[in-house]
Amino acid sequence: MSSGSKQYKAIGEDVWKRTDKVNAELFTLTYGALVVQLIKDYEDYAQVNKQLEKMGYNIGTRLIEDFLARTGLQRCSTFGETAEVVSKVAFKTFLNITPTISFPAPSTIPPAAPLTTTTTTQQQTSSSAIPLPFPSEFILVFDENPLSEFAELPRDAREGGLWFSNVLCGVIRGSLEMVSGFHFFLSDL
Amino acid sequence: MTVHALWVINKAGGLVFSRSYSDTLPPLPLNTVLILAGTLHGVHAITSRISPGGGGGGMESFEAEGWGGRVFLTATGTKFVVLHSLPHPGLEELLLKVYEIYADAVMKNPFHTPEMPINSSLFETRLQALMIAANTA
């Protein structure tokens, strides 16, 4: 795992160097304005979370093509490998961050992750009746998050359960679905 | 190497883009090309099902006298088919470039609906430039 992990790190850094960059302030402020406008429009934090996730999903289904074309990576053989690629190559390429990966013990179901402005926790779960090979889920912890660099959630939003960076959950779901959904399609024939 | 034509086939086997880049290819009505692309999709599915050991990829190329075809399957299930002359140096690089142009000009266009026919002039011009460079090389 460690040699593969190093290799993914190198790929991520290499692609990051070749990517066009955008001003961080512009990006952060645009996202902040988007979230605030959503809150104004929906006046319900749960609904805002849902919309952010949906937006992220639509981004993910498109972004995955760019990711595959640029990195030339092949299908992952284990879910652990998927976690490595998502953290070390994908997040590195698109946001220049490398979230820390951890694998929860197979039997425990992690509680709904609280989301703060500095740390985002996300879970990827596969629903299936048969016992899944370990690991079947992973948690990404963000030490730094460019989306919420200047965001300080007001008490109201915090208590209302706003997931400020929920768009990232959607992006991961959308992109992984595009490469795994194909699996189902093949066996469906 | 001369590139005769490029097809893009979506996940469901529908032809979403086809263009010919040489005049040696017999002109075919669009319906015929649609049927051919669908058939190719089916053949690809069969070959991936019967591959020894299971779980293997499907047909990658086919050859006839003086020409051949290369099927490039992306992890998301989209297929790029290039009809080309033989021999074909630099075909791999060409396919990767085509995929990059597709990711840029088609998938990043917010007004493009995935799995639907591609009507993008940016995609066409960038492909045209790539194919002219490949055909004159």
Side-chain angles (χ1 to χ4, degrees):
Chain A
M1 186 71 103
S2 84
S3 72
S5 151
K6 247 181 222 145
Q7 178 207 341
Y8 290 136
K9 211 172 166 187
I11 297 175
E13 268 159 21
D14 182 48
V15 181
W16 165 252
K17 272 181 215 143
R18 286 188 279 131
T19 316
D20 291 335
K21 311 290 189 297
V22 64
N23 183 288
E25 270 71 33
L26 175 69
F27 174 70
T28 312
L29 291 177
T30 309
Y31 185 72
L34 179 94
V35 175
V36 170
Q37 189 60 46
L38 277 178
I39 294 171
K40 275 186 194 150
D41 288 352
Y42 285 97
E43 295 173 345
D44 173 30
Y45 293 117
Q47 199 62 30
V48 172
N49 291 343
K50 209 173 122 194
Q51 290 302 322
L52 284 174
E53 207 272 350
K54 218 189 230 171
M55 265 180 226
Y57 176 81
N58 289 331
I59 296 173
T61 52
R62 289 161 183 276
L63 206 57
I64 183 70
E65 299 282 3
D66 178 76
F67 177 74
L68 291 171
R70 259 169 241 291
T71 57
L73 284 171
Q74 297 300 308
R75 190 177 298 284
C76 298
S77 49
T78 64
F79 199 58
E81 203 182 334
T82 309
E84 291 280 334
V85 172
V86 168
S87 161
K88 298 214 163 57
V89 190
F91 273 101
K92 178 75 190 173
T93 310
F94 293 116
L95 289 176
N96 195 22
I97 52 173
T98 324
T100 319
I101 314 162
S102 59
F103 299 101
S107 55
T108 57
I109 296 154
L115 196 134
T116 69
T117 48
T118 48
T119 315
T120 316
T121 315
Q122 304 183 341
Q123 299 139 25
Q124 295 291 313
T125 19
S126 313
S127 55
S128 174
I130 48 164
L132 292 160
F134 179 79
S136 60
E137 44 189 4
F138 63 84
I139 300 178
L140 297 173
V141 179
F142 293 72
D143 307 316
E144 44 176 347
N145 182 354
L147 288 181
S148 57
E149 204 178 334
F150 309 120
E152 212 170 306
L153 290 194
R155 177 196 282 269
D156 183 38
R158 204 178 275 270
E159 280 166 5
L162 172 70
W163 294 342
F164 189 81
S165 305
N166 209 30
V167 73
L168 295 178
C169 293
V171 173
I172 298 180
R173 182 169 74 92
S175 50
L176 290 185
E177 188 183 287
M178 284 299 277
V179 283
S180 67
F182 180 59
H183 240 2
F184 299 129
F185 180 70
L186 254 188
S187 55
D188 207 34
L189 282 166
Chain B
M1 173 182 72
T2 311
V3 176
H4 295 304
L6 171 76
W7 296 349
V8 182
I9 303 175
N10 70 11
K11 253 185 268 199
L15 187 73
V16 290
F17 182 84
S18 90
R19 212 44 98 238
S20 59
Y21 296 99
S22 79
D23 33 10
T24 48
L25 213 62
L28 292 171
L30 184 63
N31 265 340
T32 314
V33 183
L34 275 170
I35 294 166
L36 287 176
T39 311
L40 189 105
H41 178 78
V43 171
H44 187 276
I46 294 168
T47 49
S48 68
R49 275 301 284 268
I50 58 172
S51 89
M59 173 177 69
E60 283 169 4
S61 63
F62 49 89
E63 270 180 26
E65 198 183 336
W67 71 284
R70 167 60 83 61
V71 184
F72 177 70
L73 176 70
T74 71
T76 52
T78 308
K79 277 189 216 55
F80 296 91
V81 183
V82 169
L83 306 183
H84 56 79
S85 65
L86 294 175
H88 52 75
L91 184 60
E92 290 294 316
E93 291 78 17
L94 183 91
L95 279 164
L96 289 179
K97 275 188 199 135
V98 169
Y99 189 24
E100 256 183 53
I101 294 175
Y102 172 80
D104 274 349
V106 179
M107 290 312 284
K108 283 187 202 162
N109 175 7
F111 296 103
H112 172 258
T113 321
E115 311 300 314
M116 292 307 276
I118 299 165
N119 296 310
S120 157
S121 57
L122 178 67
F123 185 57
E124 285 200 29
T125 31
R126 285 186 62 181
L127 275 182
Q128 193 80 37
L130 178 72
M131 296 307 182
I132 286 171
N135 283 354
T136 50

